[in-house]
Amino acid sequence: MSAPRQLSLNAFIYPSGHHEAAWRHPDSRPDRIYDVSYYQEIGRTAEAAKLDAVFFADGPALRTDVRHNAAPGLEPITLLTAIAAATTHLGLIATASTTYYEPYNLARLLSSLDHISGGRAGWNIVTTGTDLAAANFGLDRHPDHAERYARAREFVDAVVRLWDSWEDDAIVLDRAAGVYADPDKIHPIDFVGEHLSVRGPFNSARTPQGRPVLVQAGASNEGRAFAGKYAEAIFTAHQRLSDAQSFYADIKSKAADFGRTADEVKILPGISPFIADTEAAALRLEREFNELTVPEYGIKQLESITGTSLRTLTLDAPVPVEVFAGAGDVTDNARSRLQVVAGIVERERPTLRGLLHRLAGARGHRVFAGTPEQVADTIEEWFTQGAADGFNVMPPYYPGGLEVFAETVVPILQQRGLFRTEYSGTTLRDHFGLARPQSQFAQTPVAVG
């Protein structure tokens, strides 16, 4: 008999917390966001709760209005090596752009993280959504959406071939014969595409889990097609169960179109929980954070989503639905985060201030305020009703928000048999229930213990 299906849970680390005003709250630690020991402590908290992984977002440009919010500044792959040294099982997922890296360099960085951590690395594949990055790399323009995804497909193909270019048994290590490796089992990849060319082979042996886990976060049409072919885990944002169910079914269907099974791709929406002993106390905590927001900051963030100036709107007047004309719906649009915001406006008709508070919690991801049991209930509902394989947990504030989740919600999920009480393996693939892939260049299957 197969084991019961269980949740995957990641801690999405955003230095002082996912609420935009977290840095102003006394329970957060914005003074430590450049202190590596701070992140090691967070990693140990996540590992003690048996979470699958920690995850870092990243981008090659300063997008944050640093007048009103703390800027996350440490490069994630480097930082994750430090967390690797402080943990033994926790998965380590870094965001890196296919638009502003080159395949060989990024393949080396992620391969090194996987070796250093004993097989715990994951790569969150992004194409970079902001045109602020282009000038940082000497470019006149930021490539358009379709061009970025065309390059991304070639990029991932090339990187995976590099990781596979050493067969699993390429290292012979025959001291007596003086043979370290078998050159016949190390392959040039000779990749040539429209956007990229990479000869190979790689200059490092295959990693403990074969290759780092491929993660993706785009929900546009191109993003969904990309995810169906490549992604082994998908981070996504939804406000409603029905929208999450539609996305879930669509991605699983697209994976099947590429000859993959539903279990080969894990869908992990974001949830940002305000947790307290009573629902009323949790709602008070959320209001406490919202009252610390700076409207000017929120308006700038919202304008980056809409692509339209909102300066003529009044804070305490309803947001006109017309601001989101052409946003599309959750099944067919290239601007997925705009859809989420448009849905909030259409359903709830909030004032601008109210909308800014709704988005302050987690940038369009689902914010939930309640008791530990209520948080566990909503996680279980989405998990059992075809909306999620797990969640990216996005604490409103760090480090306490993660500590409360780990100490109060995780035990409930464990008691219900929905989440592990001990790790059953040592790699991120083990935690996600993903098979270790064979090298595409292998002539015969190799048993790897």
Side-chain angles (χ1 to χ4, degrees), residues 131 154 344 392 413:
D131 57 7
E154 292 184 11
I344 293 171
N392 258 346
L413 297 172

Side-chain angles (χ1 to χ4, degrees), residues 214-258:
L214 300 181
V215 182
Q216 190 261 357
S220 65
N221 295 336
E222 290 90 344
R224 292 177 189 222
F226 184 91
K229 182 176 181 180
Y230 297 103
E232 295 169 294
I234 297 174
F235 299 159
T236 184
H238 299 290
Q239 294 288 324
R240 298 188 301 175
L241 176 66
S242 59
D243 293 341
Q245 289 169 323
S246 296
F247 180 85
Y248 187 96
D250 187 45
I251 293 296
K252 300 287 185 175
S253 174
K254 283 180 168 56
D257 291 342
F258 287 100

Side-chain angles (χ1 to χ4, degrees), residues 37-80:
S37 66
Y38 172 64
Y39 298 98
Q40 290 175 321
E41 291 165 13
I42 290 172
R44 286 191 286 264
T45 296
E47 184 164 89
K50 313 305 177 187
L51 300 194
D52 293 62
V54 290
F55 160 63
F56 282 91
D58 192 50
L62 180 61
R63 297 184 65 181
T64 299
D65 172 8
V66 293
R67 179 178 178 84
H68 300 302
N69 202 349
L74 294 179
E75 191 280 314
I77 301 175
T78 307
L79 180 55
L80 285 167

Side-chain angles (χ1 to χ4, degrees), residues 212-446:
V213 173
L214 300 181
V215 182
Q216 190 261 357
S220 65
N221 295 336
E222 290 90 344
R224 292 177 189 222
F226 184 91
K229 182 176 181 180
Y230 297 103
E232 295 169 294
I234 297 174
F235 299 159
T236 184
H238 299 290
Q239 294 288 324
R240 298 188 301 175
L241 176 66
S242 59
D243 293 341
Q245 289 169 323
S246 296
F247 180 85
Y248 187 96
D250 187 45
I251 293 296
K252 300 287 185 175
S253 174
K254 283 180 168 56
D257 291 342
F258 287 100
R260 305 171 67 200
T261 68
D263 291 338
E264 290 181 90
V265 54
K266 305 298 179 183
I267 298 177
L268 309 172
I271 184 169
S272 186
F274 285 92
I275 305 167
D277 291 339
T278 66
E279 182 178 356
L283 290 168
R284 281 197 302 273
L285 182 63
E286 182 181 13
R287 285 195 299 273
E288 185 178 310
F289 275 77
N290 285 340
E291 287 168 1
L292 294 173
T293 59
V294 178
E296 173 67 17
Y297 177 85
I299 289 171
K300 286 182 180 179
Q301 298 297 106
L302 185 55
E303 287 176 338
S304 72
I305 296 172
T306 65
T308 304
S309 174
L310 304 176
R311 303 303 163 135
T312 60
L313 302 183
T314 302
L315 274 174
D316 294 309
V319 177
V321 177
E322 294 74 26
V323 171
F324 297 93
D329 59 40
V330 296
T331 61
D332 183 29
N333 193 263
R335 303 179 69 186
S336 53
R337 194 56 53 89
L338 181 63
Q339 297 164 9
V340 172
V341 181
I344 293 171
V345 172
E346 290 169 2
R347 290 189 302 272
E348 302 175 17
R349 302 302 171 95
T351 64
L352 179 57
R353 191 188 305 276
L355 180 61
L356 296 179
H357 285 173
R358 287 282 274 112
L359 299 178
R363 303 170 308 283
H365 288 273
R366 186 165 179 249
V367 176
F368 186 89
T371 66
E373 290 79 9
Q374 288 173 320
V375 175
D377 287 345
T378 194
I379 287 174
E380 180 174 4
E381 180 186 25
W382 283 44
F383 179 61
T384 59
Q385 297 301 313
D389 294 308
F391 286 86
N392 258 346
V393 181
M394 304 169 64
Y397 60 100
Y398 269 105
L402 179 62
E403 293 167 353
V404 171
F405 182 87
E407 293 168 4
T408 66
V409 178
V410 168
I412 296 170
L413 297 172
Q414 291 171 330
Q415 291 163 9
R416 296 179 185 182
L418 298 172
F419 190 63
R420 69 174 68 86
T421 56
E422 295 293 339
Y423 290 108
S424 59
T426 60
T427 72
L428 182 55
R429 290 187 177 277
D430 291 335
H431 305 341
F432 281 166
L434 299 170
R436 185 184 190 278
Q438 282 282 340
S439 165
Q440 61 193 279
F441 296 100
Q443 299 300 306
T444 56
V446 175

